[in-house]
Amino acid sequence: MTKHFLALHDFSEIELNGMLTLARELKDKQKRGVPHRLLEGKSVALIFEKASTRTRISFEVGVFQLGGHGLFISSGTSQMGRGEPIKDSARVMARYCDGVMIRTFGQEIVDEFARYSDVPVINGLTDLFHPCQIMADLLTVIEHKGSCKELVYAWVGDGNNMANTWIEAAAIFGFELRLACPQGYQPDAAVMAWAQAKAPGKITLTNDPKAAVTGADVINTDVWASMGQEDEQKQREKDFTGYCLDDALLALAKADCIVLHCLPAHRGEEISDSVIEGKNSVVWDEAENRLHVQKAIMATLIK
Ligand code: CP
Ligand code: NVA
């Protein structure tokens, strides 16, 4: 059966650790100029129904470094944007390509695409999840902290696709995750219920960013209005008052805590310029690691 990468909950801790270990090996090889052409002659379709900088570039460069070929496909310039059914696009692309990455809106779109695809489908971000990003974040934590376990993680901001995926990661790896989200912006209830059942007591929700970050080892935030929510920007700026990760908030965390942000960042909104540019920030390592983990994910799934 074709194995897809649609959400972290489809994988065990051992399987995710296997991909993270491979990512470290591939990163080392790439840095030393050692060839690692694990996708020699393979083609991977990269479908974007939303904007992207990191995901597009890291997948295109990643496939190339693995000896394969990535095809950028935007909804606006393909028949997908003119209403060709997902199930038809999926079956056609599987006849040409060895794998597909898709960035889109509803999780049900990637789920349907995968149902009809005979080749692996990778979720490059939906409204519900961003699993490739959290894998890059975990690799970054491992590099800076030695392990991603036995640490306290804080999430400050919207209960969005990033928060939902962190919740899944916390449940799978069994680490403590404290989420501070304003009233009305909590993470997905079904994701929370699944995670609470899998890892009782590990994931907590508060409206108090200070409580969440106090003593934390890893702090993560993200934009207040995600792609598709641009019309809510002004309202969200009001509703997220007090949720800026600034020096005062950071001072409550451990002195050696690391700050993550998937980017793009809005300085002065969810994060201050001083924090993103400061000594605790590892956001550039985090962005780089998208390349290495995605190569590992593709090399693991695409045969
Ligand atoms: N972090 C992330 O997914 O960035 P892009 O939207 O630029 O791909
Ligand atoms: N939550 C953000 C992440 C961007 C990488 C969004 O969905 O727009």
Side-chain angles (χ1 to χ4, degrees):
M1 214 178 88
T2 307
K3 184 81 173 165
H4 306 289
F5 189 80
L6 308 179
L8 296 185
H9 65 236
D10 292 331
F11 294 84
S12 66
E13 182 180 355
I14 291 172
E15 289 171 316
L16 295 178
N17 267 326
M19 289 190 248
L20 291 168
T21 301
L22 178 58
R24 296 184 85 180
E25 287 167 17
L26 296 179
K27 182 172 184 176
D28 178 62
K29 284 188 172 155
Q30 193 242 323
K31 298 283 180 200
R32 291 189 293 116
V34 176
H36 46 285
R37 298 172 69 86
L38 302 174
L39 292 187
E40 186 77 56
K42 308 273 188 201
S43 294
V44 183
L46 309 172
I47 305 167
F48 287 88
E49 300 205 281
K50 288 177 176 169
S52 171
T53 295
R54 281 143 290 270
T55 306
R56 177 182 178 179
I57 299 172
S58 55
F59 266 102
E60 281 198 29
V61 171
V63 183
F64 175 75
Q65 290 180 358
L66 290 169
H69 168 234
L71 299 88
F72 173 74
I73 300 161
S74 72
S75 51
T77 56
S78 69
Q79 299 291 6
M80 289 182 74
R82 295 181 59 247
E84 182 164 15
I86 298 293
K87 59 185 181 182
D88 294 4
S89 304
R91 284 174 288 187
V92 169
M93 288 191 206
R95 299 286 177 115
Y96 302 131
C97 300
D98 303 285
V100 176
M101 191 279 332
I102 177 164
R103 164 170 286 197
T104 186
F105 292 87
Q107 183 73 14
E108 69 282 357
I109 298 172
V110 293
D111 288 344
E112 182 176 357
F113 202 105
R115 240 187 348 268
Y116 285 92
S117 175
D118 290 332
V119 300
V121 176
I122 297 170
N123 178 356
L125 180 147
T126 62
D127 295 340
L128 189 64
F129 291 127
H130 197 359
C132 291
Q133 181 69 54
I134 270 48
M135 289 293 278
D137 294 6
L138 291 169
L139 178 59
T140 310
V141 173
I142 292 166
E143 287 176 340
H144 285 270
K145 296 285 176 192
S147 161
C148 68
K149 295 177 72 107
E150 312 298 333
L151 298 170
V152 176
Y153 292 69
W155 173 267
V156 179
D158 190 19
N160 62 14
N161 42 12
M162 285 290 298
N164 292 330
T165 317
W166 270 115
I167 291 166
E168 293 210 334
I172 295 164
F173 287 90
F175 53 71
E176 182 181 345
L177 173 64
R178 308 171 188 159
L179 300 116
C181 309
Q183 205 61 46
Y185 296 97
Q186 276 94 357
D188 184 84
V191 171
M192 268 301 263
W194 175 85
Q196 301 278 22
K198 189 169 173 65
K202 290 286 184 189
I203 302 150
T204 53
L205 208 45
T206 173
N207 304 132
D208 181 359
K210 291 183 183 136
V213 304
T214 298
D217 300 285
V218 180
I219 308 180
N220 198 175
T221 188
D222 186 16
V223 291
W224 293 337
S226 286
M227 289 183 276
Q229 299 171 333
E230 289 80 3
D231 292 352
E232 301 171 27
Q233 175 69 30
K234 287 284 160 241
Q235 183 61 45
R236 284 171 175 259
E237 283 174 22
K238 292 193 192 93
D239 295 343
F240 283 79
T241 302
Y243 278 76
C244 179
L245 179 56
D246 57 13
D247 291 314
L249 203 50
L250 181 62
L252 299 171
K254 287 200 182 130
D256 65 349
C257 94
I258 58 171
V259 171
L260 298 169
H261 190 309
C262 63
L263 306 174
H266 292 178
R267 288 166 168 80
E269 291 180 31
E270 77 277 1
I271 193 162
S272 69
D273 183 69
S274 58
V275 170
I276 198 167
E277 299 291 350
K279 66 176 173 45
N280 300 84
S281 169
V282 295
V283 300
W284 315 120
D285 292 343
E286 180 186 6
E288 178 188 332
N289 282 336
R290 293 292 304 279
L291 172 68
H292 308 297
V293 294
Q294 288 158 195
K295 284 165 72 179
I297 293 166
M298 288 189 284
T300 301
L301 297 182
I302 298 172
K303 300 298 171 206

